[in-house]
Amino acid sequence: MLKRFSISLEDDLLEKFDTFIRNRTYNNRSEAIRDLIRNSFLKDEWEADMEVIGTITLVYDHHQYQLQEKITTLQHDFHHQIISTTHIHVSHDNCLEVIIVRSKAKKVKGLADSLAALRGVKNCSLSISSANN
Ligand code: NI
């Protein structure tokens, strides 16, 4: 059920907020506020080390010496946290791997950071959502 409440804001802050809404293509202020509130709770959960579900997306050069092996070894170290891995051969040199994870935020972030630090990894991005609601 949706509940209604009013918010008081300074003129210039409201102006900035409306620009923000336009740039993000939100339909209305309520939608944007809801999203911002959810995101701030998500950040808290991250800090509080709550259960999250998410993806780690990697782009890497598979010709890099021992990189493939290091990526596999790391994933075996986190086999309790990894739900599935999809590998796509993007081009002659590049591979893309999407790793679906479910665990404590800190663990997931640790895996993403370790993968990002490997030589030959061109891009590593982590996306998470709360697993509890
Ligand atoms: Ni490949």
Side-chain angles (χ1 to χ4, degrees):
M1 194 179 80
L2 287 174
K3 295 221 169 150
R4 204 175 264 276
F5 69 101
S6 62
I7 299 173
S8 308
L9 280 182
E10 291 86 358
D11 276 351
D12 56 338
L13 190 56
L14 183 58
E15 216 169 281
K16 277 184 189 163
F17 184 58
D18 284 339
T19 307
F20 168 85
I21 290 170
R22 272 196 301 279
N23 292 340
R24 307 279 171 112
T25 68
Y26 284 111
N27 290 319
N28 53 55
R29 287 173 178 161
S30 292
E31 209 175 84
I33 293 273
R34 279 198 291 272
D35 231 29
L36 288 172
I37 292 172
R38 280 195 204 103
N39 285 344
S40 67
F41 285 156
L42 203 59
K43 191 171 173 283
D44 282 351
E45 286 186 12
W46 178 290
E47 281 156 8
D49 204 18
M50 296 284 285
E51 183 86 359
V52 295
I53 189 148
T55 58
I56 300 168
T57 305
L58 279 181
V59 176
Y60 64 91
D61 180 352
H62 76 102
H63 292 127
Q64 179 70 45
Y65 181 64
Q66 285 188 339
L67 178 57
Q68 197 104 50
E69 197 184 321
K70 286 175 186 166
I71 288 172
T72 303
T73 302
L74 250 176
Q75 290 191 55
H76 278 276
D77 290 343
F78 284 82
H79 70 273
H80 286 298
Q81 288 78 36
I82 295 175
I83 295 168
S84 89
T85 302
T86 299
H87 184 108
I88 295 155
H89 310 298
V90 178
S91 63
H92 181 74
D93 298 323
N94 292 331
C95 296
L96 178 134
E97 224 161 271
V98 180
I99 305 162
I100 301 177
V101 287
R102 181 178 185 150
S103 183
K104 302 278 183 190
K106 247 183 224 167
K107 271 239 148 182
V108 168
K109 180 105 172 38
L111 173 58
D113 288 344
S114 302
L115 289 165
L118 295 174
R119 182 188 285 265
V121 172
K122 296 174 173 180
N123 194 275
C124 178
S125 64
L126 170 63
S127 162
I128 57 158
S129 290
S130 169
N132 297 319
N133 51 47

